[in-house]
Amino acid sequence: MKVLVTTPYEKNSLQGNTVTAKRVVSILLESGIDAAVLSKDERVVCADVLIALHARKSAHFIDDFLAMNLTGKVIVYLTGTDLYSDIPNGCEICEKSMELADALVVSQNSSLASVSEKYRSKTVVVHKSIDLPDAVRDDVGTESKLFTVIGHIRAVKQPFMAVESLQLLDRSISLRLALLGKEVDTGSGEICMKWQERDPRFQWLGGVEYVETLQWMQRSVATINTSLAEGGANSVGESIVLGVPVIASRIEGNIGMLGDDYAGYFSAESNQELADLMQRVIHDANFLKKLRGQVKLRGKSFLRENENQDWMNIIQKIS
């Protein structure tokens, strides 16, 4: 059996879709399946199954695959943009991709509620796994006042919410805030530079290699996710597996990864709530201990063997 896994971005991109595509291919290869990533601008080849990440941006892959492989099977892996932007706004391309799919995949149970009823019966939850490289497994010291925001800079992720919230905290609090991610929205890099000039507590590191990003996370007292919409951010899962608390916007994707009863949520519209949580992490040792305990328990949800079994089940079901 040959499986193609598409990403709408370049093969060397650090975008979440490409990271996910590479992980899925790695898992399939471990199970003895011939699998490969099909990235932006590459042509479809003969295969038995296509796993398309992003219903809208990978629609051309689906069309080309079905034209070339008349008996081929299609799995559409719905991303956060699909679930919380394109589909709710009536995207016809997404609708067509979902109609053509033999199965739909979401990353967590909470995302099932965002799939329309007529497609629910062919939607399967495949829990994403996090398998950290050895380079970040060594114990490193935690900087008690370092917070990191991980994610490429685009509006849906509210990349400047954390530094805006920082302005609500007394300057005498000597915390550090690092933003790791490349400029996606035009002009966002310039905004980052202006924030650095205005507040020396803030540092923009741009696009950072994967292992170095994980090391920054590992040194942090907490990571921050400020997204308005997420299907389930890789960085949130990585932070959980590292045992680093996440201060997270109270949205479906984050709740699905961290749990309903997690204590580190803030309203995605409230800078004040985020600022209060940052201050509490620094000054309330019991609160920080609670977050660390909750994250440690959630880490068991990201085992690689679980995702492996989920993919084997769905591929066997449609074959």
Side-chain angles (χ1 to χ4, degrees):
M1 174 181 287
K2 183 173 181 61
V3 178
L4 300 175
V5 184
T6 75
T7 171
Y9 302 102
E10 293 82 3
K11 197 166 289 185
N12 62 352
S13 168
L14 295 177
Q15 294 280 0
N17 287 175
T18 300
V19 172
T20 297
K22 289 180 177 179
R23 186 186 72 248
V24 172
V25 164
S26 175
I27 287 171
L28 296 178
L29 289 171
E30 288 173 7
S31 299
I33 293 176
D34 182 8
V37 173
L38 190 64
S39 61
K40 180 182 180 182
D41 299 329
E42 290 187 306
R43 296 179 67 85
V44 168
V45 297
C46 291
D48 301 292
V49 177
L50 181 79
I51 301 175
L53 274 85
H54 210 301
R56 174 172 57 85
K57 292 185 178 180
S58 287
H60 66 289
F61 286 128
I62 297 172
D63 290 340
D64 293 348
F65 174 80
L66 290 176
M68 180 178 290
N69 304 279
L70 298 181
T71 61
K73 302 295 183 180
V74 173
I75 301 170
V76 174
Y77 197 150
L78 297 174
T79 67
T81 303
D82 290 325
L83 292 166
Y84 309 122
S85 178
D86 291 341
I87 294 173
N89 289 323
C91 175
E92 293 182 2
I93 297 174
C94 289
E95 185 74 17
K96 180 185 175 184
S97 294
M98 292 189 291
E99 192 69 42
L100 292 171
D102 296 282
L104 303 174
V105 166
V106 294
S107 294
Q108 49 198 332
N109 293 331
S110 63
S111 295
L112 290 171
S114 296
V115 179
S116 62
E117 189 65 38
K118 69 176 180 176
Y119 297 123
R120 198 76 56 80
S121 63
K122 65 177 180 181
T123 305
V124 180
V125 179
V126 175
H127 296 97
K128 68 169 62 180
S129 61
I130 303 292
D131 191 30
L132 299 176
D134 292 337
V136 300
R137 293 189 184 281
D138 295 333
D139 186 36
V140 298
T142 299
E143 294 186 33
S144 62
K145 296 181 181 178
L146 170 64
F147 295 88
T148 51
V149 178
I150 314 296
H152 298 311
I153 306 172
R154 52 196 181 102
V156 71
K157 293 184 178 293
Q158 299 194 113
F160 307 114
M161 184 177 186
V163 69
E164 290 166 358
S165 299
L166 192 59
Q167 308 314 303
L168 302 176
L169 298 177
D170 194 293
R171 291 263 175 169
S172 64
I173 302 176
S174 58
L175 59 79
R176 296 176 62 206
L177 175 64
L179 171 59
L180 286 70
K182 68 179 182 180
E183 177 181 4
V184 174
D185 289 353
T186 302
S188 57
E190 183 179 351
I191 296 173
C192 285
M193 298 298 290
K194 288 180 178 179
W195 271 116
Q196 282 191 145
E197 294 172 3
R198 177 178 173 183
D199 191 338
R201 296 174 296 178
F202 172 72
Q203 182 180 11
W204 176 45
L205 299 173
V208 177
E209 291 298 319
Y210 181 58
V211 170
E212 185 180 352
T213 297
L214 293 174
Q215 290 170 339
W216 270 92
M217 295 168 70
Q218 197 174 18
R219 290 197 301 271
S220 304
V221 67
T223 62
I224 300 174
N225 183 288
T226 53
S227 289
L228 286 169
E230 288 276 10
N234 288 317
S235 61
V236 172
E238 288 155 356
S239 190
I240 291 170
V241 173
L242 285 168
V244 178
V246 186
I247 300 175
S249 52
R250 194 181 292 102
I251 60 171
E252 185 177 283
N254 287 337
I255 293 171
M257 300 187 81
L258 290 158
D260 293 333
D261 62 346
Y262 185 64
Y265 294 125
F266 61 91
S267 169
E269 295 78 31
S270 176
N271 287 358
Q272 187 62 62
E273 287 185 25
L274 173 53
D276 290 345
L277 277 174
M278 293 169 71
Q279 182 160 287
R280 193 173 178 192
V281 164
I282 292 173
H283 294 298
D284 187 339
N286 288 331
F287 179 65
L288 179 57
K289 182 179 179 180
K290 180 178 181 177
L291 292 183
R292 285 173 172 163
Q294 289 181 311
V295 163
K296 184 176 181 180
L297 289 174
R298 296 296 293 185
K300 300 174 184 178
S301 303
F302 298 89
L303 296 175
R304 192 173 179 88
E305 53 262 37
N306 294 341
E307 184 174 15
N308 187 311
Q309 189 59 58
D310 287 343
W311 281 114
M312 291 306 98
N313 289 343
I314 189 173
I315 288 173
Q316 289 171 11
K317 183 177 179 180
I318 65 172
S319 297

